[in-house]
Amino acid sequence: MFNLARKAFIALMATAGLAAPALAADYIPPVEELPPPPVVESVDFGGWYIRGDIGYHKSKFRGADYITYGVDPCAPCGPEPVPGSNSFDFGKMKGAFSLGGGVGYQVNQYFRTDLTVDYWFKSKFNGQTSDLTSVSVDTSSATTLLLLANAYADLGTWHGITPYVGAGIGGAHVKWDNLRNTIDGVDTFHKGSKNWRFAYALMAGASYCLTNNVILDAGYRFSHIDGGRMFELNGAGPGFDKGFNTHEVRGGLRYQFGNSGCAEPQAVAYEPEPIYTK
């Protein structure tokens, strides 16, 4: 009886030993899947913006000519007026402040356009004219309304700072006050003229992100304004200035309605689906 039980136990153990490798071969441990990396949210770039600027400008007066009338004793019908041309000996314009605004569109991260209007406050003018017998001191002042269509190349953004270059083309409405002509303490006034003229500008500067929508802009602008009529006839005249080259420093704010690119893209949290294993 004892021998029979011992033989049965040995047979059972042998069977279990043979079955264990087979069960081990059939067992595949579950594979743990790692969650994917965070997904970066994609946001459309660009959109409309508005801007406001304040500046200080100084214009280089490029000279002026005027007409004088004398008497031609050799005229067939007796003495009569004859025109002649004279030029200002010199002319200088003082600096003045400006205010401006505009609306624009950020096309992409590197290109934007806008339409701007700037009002240049009164800039005082001092000049001199002379002939063989007298010297005249001439004073006046001018205000300008500058309208430009502009395009800019943004050169990339580093730590919220974006340098840029740009160019603009448009027109300027120049309004001259009356010209005061003083000779030996005697004043003569010539009515000032106002007219539209061709203008263009070149810009360079940098912008800084205050928030994702508010951008500080500071830069330099060179503007060229063509010549035009300066004052009307009063004994002498009319007079024509040869235009201005203006150097201007400006600062202002832009409000971007769309994505300005100031804020870094945000990572979206990813919750993987639960994995069930048997």
Side-chain angles (χ1 to χ4, degrees):
M1 187 72 176
F2 176 76
N3 290 335
L4 181 61
R6 186 177 64 176
K7 290 180 180 179
F9 176 75
I10 292 173
L12 179 63
M13 292 301 294
T15 303
L18 292 174
L23 291 174
D26 292 338
Y27 176 75
I28 300 176
V31 178
E32 182 180 356
E33 295 187 11
L34 297 176
V39 178
V40 177
E41 183 179 11
S42 177
V43 180
D44 291 336
F45 187 87
W48 293 98
Y49 65 84
I50 57 175
R51 63 181 298 162
D53 301 280
I54 185 171
Y56 183 83
H57 67 276
K58 187 171 178 61
S59 299
K60 179 178 176 57
F61 187 71
R62 302 181 64 219
D65 297 326
Y66 61 97
I67 304 298
T68 58
Y69 294 86
V71 175
D72 183 2
C74 301
C77 297
E80 63 182 27
V82 59
S85 179
N86 292 275
S87 298
F88 276 69
D89 298 336
F90 64 84
K92 294 182 179 179
M93 302 190 74
K94 293 186 176 181
F97 287 95
S98 64
L99 284 177
V103 58
Y105 190 81
Q106 184 86 43
V107 179
N108 54 45
Q109 190 174 358
Y110 301 103
F111 182 72
R112 58 188 168 90
T113 63
D114 60 31
L115 297 173
T116 57
V117 54
D118 292 88
Y119 181 77
W120 294 355
F121 290 97
K122 189 170 292 186
S123 180
K124 294 182 178 180
F125 169 80
N126 292 279
Q128 176 181 294
T129 57
S130 61
D131 56 28
L132 296 176
T133 60
S134 62
V135 175
S136 169
V137 176
D138 301 278
T139 58
S140 184
S141 56
T143 56
T144 302
L145 187 69
L146 181 65
L147 302 177
L148 292 174
N150 310 288
Y152 309 87
D154 291 329
L155 306 179
T157 301
W158 295 272
H159 306 289
I161 299 175
T162 305
Y164 66 84
V165 293
I169 189 170
H173 185 265
V174 178
K175 181 181 182 299
W176 282 101
D177 289 341
N178 293 341
L179 179 74
R180 180 177 181 177
N181 178 272
T182 305
I183 301 175
D184 297 330
V186 179
D187 294 336
T188 302
F189 291 91
H190 301 264
K191 183 180 179 180
S193 297
K194 54 185 177 181
N195 44 72
W196 282 98
R197 310 170 180 196
F198 173 76
Y200 68 83
L202 301 172
M203 294 83 76
S207 61
Y208 177 73
C209 298
L210 297 179
T211 70
N212 189 40
N213 298 104
V214 180
I215 302 169
L216 176 67
D217 191 313
Y220 162 80
R221 179 168 68 182
F222 167 83
S223 303
H224 170 83
I225 298 175
D226 274 359
R229 195 153 178 152
M230 181 178 179
F231 58 87
E232 303 300 329
L233 171 66
N234 184 10
F240 302 85
D241 69 71
K242 298 179 181 179
F244 319 98
N245 287 332
T246 302
H247 303 275
E248 184 181 10
V249 290
R250 308 166 73 216
L253 295 175
R254 301 201 310 264
Y255 184 85
Q256 180 81 46
F257 291 100
N259 178 30
S260 66
C262 290
E264 295 294 331
Q266 300 297 316
V268 178
Y270 179 81
E271 293 289 343
E273 294 291 334
I275 299 174
Y276 299 97
T277 60
K278 294 182 179 180

